[in-house]
Amino acid sequence: MDNRTFILKGNFCYTPSADTLVTRENSYLICEDGISRGIFPEIPEKYKDLPLMDCRDQVIIPGLVDLHLHAPQFAFRSVGMDMELLEWLEQVAFPQEARYQDPEYARTAYSIFAQAMKKSPTTRASMFATLHPETTILLMELMEETGLKTYVGKVNMDRNSPDYLREKTPLEAEKDTRNWVENTLHKYRNVRPILTPRFTPSCTDDLMKRLSQIQKDYQLPLQSHLSENLGEIEWVKELCPNTRFYGEAYAQFDLFGLDCPTIMAHCVHSSPEEIALMKENGVYVAHCPQSNTNLASGIAPVRKYLDAGLSVGLGSDIAGGYSECLFRAMAEAIQVSKLRWRLVDDSLQPLNLTEVFYMATKGGGSFFGKTGSFEEGYELDAVILNDSTLPTPLSFPLKERLERLVYMGDDRNVSGKFVSGTQIF
Ligand SMILES: [Zn+2]
């Protein structure tokens, strides 16, 4: 038995499905070699000699999964929030990302980011770096040290961006990307590379073809952006006159699900054809309500995606979003869905606590395998939450304690964290 075999005692919440919240007060979770063996009211006889960590009256939830964020943008969170997407990229994001060609600056900025991620309730994440291979590897090394399980992507972009932040030719971009993949594919325990074309306006057809070949050669997953902003969607129509909808701009290069596990951020304005193809190809939606609000992109019809059986997770989208704490994404997913229901389309019911908790755990977690739940056989990612810093004279049942943490909690409530059975702190 190694130290990934133990018992956690406390109050557990998890969601086996989007419409089921399980709460178990004062119970015992058995972890064997990093895998959950389930939650029991008493310790089963065969496990009675395992080491026990008593979390007393704290709330224990599966680790949260952030399906979309930009690590280099953490440094300028909540700056330049009065712009829409395309202006914000040009004025704020691109000049700042260019700084990551400097390893010294990158080390300083990425170290701050990695520490924040470590302390947050997130245990898994898929993130963009910048187009610079050297400092992307630096980010991967820093993330490896945190113990979180992450996908990190060297960004590809060879058009429609300033000279100082653009890959010179598709061939050079391919070479850099192949070298980076070769260097990092089997190097880490916790970190994996993920192909990352920034978004269609940033990538020529020639580059996309080369990325498609790299994807097939190494069976890599992929992350990008889709149907975030109306101006962006019009632009993609002009750039790709051969496609019927935005998603096809990726699908035409086999970079849209099926054998290429794919996360698409936003999907605020996806057409029925696009939604159907996402469903057919198993493309994940990363819903980022805070970013969609800040950049005035709109409100994604998440209820429609859940009803259609799409895989949906949540993203902080640092720094379209300002908070790396996914509790914000959970609460705001509920809040914006209520505005959408009231103001846009009353046929789509607002999201509820159970649904956003599911999206933040098992929904997004399934991109990483059997994670995001305490069910038997799931990798044990667990976050221990101390809600005594949110005092009240009332005594709430466990579901309401979870709800208070989602709305009012933050990193300061996280008193311990396990990833795949390994204690991070
Ligand atoms: Zn993004």
Side-chain angles (χ1 to χ4, degrees):
M1 271 189 262
D2 63 13
N3 59 6
R4 298 201 305 155
T5 300
F6 56 88
I7 301 170
L8 277 183
K9 181 175 188 232
N11 303 305
F12 298 90
C13 303
Y14 66 99
T15 45
S17 65
D19 56 8
T20 313
L21 174 69
V22 175
T23 57
R24 294 272 182 268
E25 295 195 28
N26 205 17
S27 297
Y28 300 87
L29 186 153
I30 311 296
C31 178
E32 197 173 24
D33 207 17
I35 306 293
S36 170
R37 294 294 166 222
I39 297 172
F40 304 87
E42 304 288 341
I43 302 173
E45 185 60 25
K46 70 169 178 169
Y47 297 121
K48 69 176 179 26
D49 294 329
L50 295 186
L52 182 142
M53 180 172 168
D54 188 350
C55 302
R56 300 171 199 279
D57 193 39
Q58 297 186 92
V59 178
I60 306 175
I61 63 170
L64 304 184
V65 180
D66 191 338
L67 278 189
H68 182 72
L69 71 101
H70 299 257
Q73 298 179 3
F74 190 77
F76 61 88
R77 287 176 302 152
S78 69
V79 169
M81 297 269 84
D82 297 332
M83 299 172 214
E84 282 191 55
L85 174 68
L86 300 176
E87 187 191 4
W88 177 80
L89 285 173
E90 216 163 280
Q91 302 284 324
V92 185
F94 288 161
Q96 287 294 333
E97 286 193 20
R99 303 186 64 158
Y100 289 78
Q101 65 194 5
D102 171 5
E104 206 175 319
Y105 176 75
R107 179 173 290 282
T108 304
Y110 280 151
S111 297
I112 294 169
F113 165 75
Q115 282 316 301
M117 291 301 286
K118 185 172 175 173
K119 288 191 301 184
S120 77
T122 296
T123 54
R124 309 211 177 214
S126 186
M127 63 188 69
F128 286 48
T130 61
L131 57 76
H132 313 98
E134 189 188 338
T135 56
T136 299
I137 291 172
L138 181 61
L139 172 62
M140 294 170 96
E141 281 161 7
L142 290 166
M143 288 314 298
E144 175 74 4
E145 286 170 24
T146 66
L148 272 64
K149 301 274 184 194
T150 56
Y151 286 111
V152 174
K154 173 208 144 13
V155 173
N156 288 110
M157 48 198 296
D158 73 334
R159 69 173 173 187
N160 294 319
S161 50
D163 285 345
Y164 61 78
L165 192 70
R166 189 193 317 147
E167 293 172 298
K168 297 301 168 232
T169 65
L171 180 63
E172 271 182 67
E174 181 189 352
K175 268 195 214 159
D176 280 356
T177 305
R178 277 189 188 275
N179 280 337
W180 161 71
V181 173
E182 289 277 349
N183 258 318
T184 58
L185 191 55
H186 303 294
K187 190 171 172 188
Y188 307 107
R189 182 163 167 233
N190 301 316
V191 186
R192 300 274 180 275
I194 183 167
L195 272 187
T196 306
R198 182 170 208 119
F199 67 153
T200 295
S202 296
C203 299
T204 59
D205 285 4
D206 188 357
L207 176 55
M208 287 295 217
K209 274 182 212 152
R210 292 167 192 274
L211 294 180
S212 179
Q213 194 52 56
I214 295 173
Q215 194 281 322
K216 291 179 172 81
D217 291 348
Y218 299 96
Q219 275 113 53
L220 292 174
L222 175 134
Q223 59 182 354
S224 195
H225 297 93
L226 182 66
S227 298
E228 175 177 3
N229 165 291
L230 293 170
E232 169 209 20
I233 293 169
E234 282 309 306
W235 194 13
V236 171
K237 259 186 209 158
E238 286 166 30
L239 291 166
C240 310
N242 59 318
T243 59
R244 291 170 303 154
F245 51 88
Y246 193 163
E248 264 193 353
Y250 300 106
Q252 64 181 335
F253 302 108
D254 303 330
L255 298 173
F256 201 65
L258 296 175
D259 292 334
C260 172
T262 297
I263 299 168
M264 283 292 164
H266 307 306
C267 308
V268 175
H269 305 285
S270 292
S271 67
E273 295 81 4
E274 186 163 281
I275 295 168
L277 191 61
M278 284 192 281
K279 159 84 176 159
E280 200 178 313
N281 291 6
V283 171
Y284 277 69
V285 176
H287 175 44
C288 308
Q290 191 173 77
S291 170
N292 298 156
T293 303
N294 287 333
L295 298 173
S297 300
I299 305 172
V302 176
R303 163 75 53 215
K304 196 189 286 183
Y305 299 155
L306 290 176
D307 288 350
L310 266 63
S311 297
V312 188
L314 293 177
S316 64
D317 194 22
I318 298 294
Y322 55 81
S323 176
E324 81 284 9
C325 180
L326 269 198
F327 287 149
R328 296 289 70 71
M330 293 164 74
E332 286 163 21
I334 296 172
Q335 290 169 323
V336 299
S337 75
K338 289 175 178 169
L339 291 177
R340 196 179 193 286
W341 171 72
R342 176 65 66 194
L343 300 173
V344 183
D345 177 1
D346 66 7
S347 75
L348 295 179
Q349 285 294 308
L351 300 173
N352 61 41
L353 177 73
T354 299
E355 289 163 335
V356 299
F357 187 39
Y358 173 82
M359 289 193 281
T361 54
K362 192 174 176 179
S366 60
F367 192 77
F368 292 77
K370 278 182 95 168
T371 71
S373 179
F374 292 145
E375 290 158 84
E376 205 275 325
Y378 275 68
E379 280 186 67
L380 187 82
D381 288 12
V383 174
I384 301 158
L385 298 168
N386 174 7
D387 58 358
S388 70
T389 57
L390 306 170
T392 167
L394 300 171
S395 123
F396 289 103
L398 195 43
K399 182 184 175 184
E400 278 74 24
R401 289 178 66 189
L402 173 67
E403 192 169 21
R404 294 178 83 241
L405 281 160
V406 166
Y407 279 93
M408 297 187 287
D410 60 31
D411 300 0
R412 290 168 291 188
N413 298 97
V414 180
S415 68
K417 187 151 115 173
F418 290 83
V419 181
S420 196
T422 300
Q423 188 165 14
I424 302 302
F425 64 84

